[in-house]
């Protein structure tokens, strides 16, 4: 066994026991697919230290984002535009949508999965002025007016109702879902629904402070 193979064998053992950091490894190991694949399955952020060719390797990147969606930020630009990769990333961490290609940030299926995982970070970011202050994704008006996306958002985060399209704040199913999650969001509902007995009772049942 030559020195290169010996170092690889040691690295794989260290990865297995959790005593390996790709950032400190020799270049040969950073460019070795077997080593990098094993490393990102243990620590997805190790993808940032991999050889650029492996950052463009779909198998490696998929393994990383399945462990931590935010590892998408270290992927090759082409893979940030790969729907399969981005879907896996946002299913694991909705906020990873921020690292996707612009076209996928506007993709209904991708956004829906991101909102299901993290409505607070994804759906509640609505104002472009908030960019640079931890708010990295601004959904289009079209997506914010999508019933499925809004419903998924309020199921997880009732306060998402505040940022839903005006027409959706008049949708009884969406508002009911929101107030059952957080009764205080009754204030963001359409006037007619604020006077709806079923909606008001659901809000008060969730919290007596809804009125």
């Amino acid at each position: 066994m030559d020195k290169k193979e010996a170092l690889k064998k040691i690295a794989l053992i260290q990865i297995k026991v959790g005593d390996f950091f790709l950032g400190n490894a020799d270049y040969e190991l950073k460019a070795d697919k077997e080593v990098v694949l094993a490393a990102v399955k243990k620590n997805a952020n190790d993808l940032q230290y991999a050889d650029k060719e492996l950052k463009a390797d779909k198998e490696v990147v998929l393994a990383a984002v399945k462990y931590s969606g935010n590892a998408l930020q270290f992927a090759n630009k082409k893979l940030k535009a790969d729907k399969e990769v981005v879907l896996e990333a946002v299913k694991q961490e909705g906020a990873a949508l921020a690292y996707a290609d612009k076209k996928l940030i506007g993709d209904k299926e991708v956004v829906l999965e991101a909102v299901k995982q993290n409505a607070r970070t994804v759906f509640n970011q609505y104002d472009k002025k908030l960019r640079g202050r931890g708010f990295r994704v601004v959904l289009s008006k079209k997506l914010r007016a999508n019933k499925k996306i809004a419903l998924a958002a309020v199921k997880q985060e009732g306060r998402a109702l505040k940022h839903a399209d005006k027409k959706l704040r008049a949708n009884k199913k969406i508002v009911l879902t929101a107030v059952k999650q957080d009764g205080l969001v009754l204030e963001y509902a359409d006037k007619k629904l604020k006077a709806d007995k079923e909606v008001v009772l659901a809000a008060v049942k969730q919290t007596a402070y809804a009125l």
Side-chain angles (χ1 to χ4, degrees):
M1 183 184 294
D2 60 22
K3 184 180 179 180
K4 184 178 178 180
E5 282 300 313
L7 286 173
K8 179 177 177 178
K9 186 175 182 179
I10 292 171
L12 289 171
I13 292 172
Q14 290 177 323
I15 292 169
K16 192 173 182 179
V17 299
D19 187 29
F20 181 81
F21 175 52
L22 190 61
N24 292 335
D26 291 339
Y27 174 74
E28 286 77 10
L29 294 177
K30 293 178 180 178
D32 187 293
K33 183 173 178 176
E34 185 180 0
V35 171
V36 173
L37 197 54
V40 299
K41 287 179 179 179
K42 286 283 188 177
N43 182 1
N45 287 332
D46 269 358
L47 181 63
Q48 65 186 298
Y49 305 111
D51 179 77
K52 65 179 182 180
E53 287 189 12
L54 293 179
K55 289 180 180 179
D57 186 293
K58 189 170 181 176
E59 184 183 3
V60 171
V61 174
L62 274 173
V65 299
K66 284 180 180 179
Y67 182 89
S68 174
N70 285 326
L72 182 64
Q73 64 185 298
F74 306 120
N76 173 274
K77 187 177 180 180
K78 185 177 180 180
L79 290 180
K80 289 180 180 179
D82 185 296
K83 189 169 180 177
E84 182 185 359
V85 171
V86 174
L87 273 172
E88 286 295 340
V90 299
K91 284 178 182 178
Q92 204 284 327
E93 173 49 67
L97 182 65
Y99 305 116
D101 181 84
K102 288 182 179 180
K103 288 184 179 180
L104 293 180
I105 290 176
D107 184 283
K108 185 171 69 174
E109 183 183 0
V110 171
V111 172
L112 181 60
E113 290 300 330
V115 168
K116 283 180 181 178
Q117 202 286 322
N118 193 336
R120 179 174 295 181
T121 300
V122 180
F123 194 80
N124 290 5
Q125 296 183 26
Y126 62 98
D127 191 339
K128 290 182 180 180
K129 293 178 182 178
L130 295 175
R131 282 192 184 276
R133 285 188 274 165
F135 292 79
R136 298 171 297 193
V137 177
V138 177
L139 299 184
S140 67
K141 289 183 178 179
K142 183 178 180 180
L143 289 175
R144 200 166 295 285
N146 182 279
K147 289 182 181 180
K148 283 187 177 180
I149 291 174
L151 188 59
V154 298
K155 275 183 179 178
Q156 187 194 99
E157 175 75 16
R159 293 193 69 79
L161 183 66
K162 177 181 179 181
H163 308 306
D165 182 83
K166 187 177 180 180
K167 288 183 179 180
L168 297 185
R169 295 200 298 273
N171 181 291
K172 188 171 180 177
K173 183 178 180 180
I174 290 174
V175 173
L176 260 177
T177 302
V179 298
K180 285 178 180 179
Q181 206 280 329
D182 183 351
L184 294 176
V185 302
L186 180 62
E187 65 172 301
Y188 305 121
D190 180 81
K191 288 182 179 180
K192 288 184 178 179
L193 292 179
K194 284 180 180 179
D196 184 288
K197 186 177 180 180
E198 185 181 3
V199 171
V200 174
L201 283 174
V204 173
K205 186 176 181 180
Q206 201 284 320
T207 174
Y209 298 104
L211 295 179

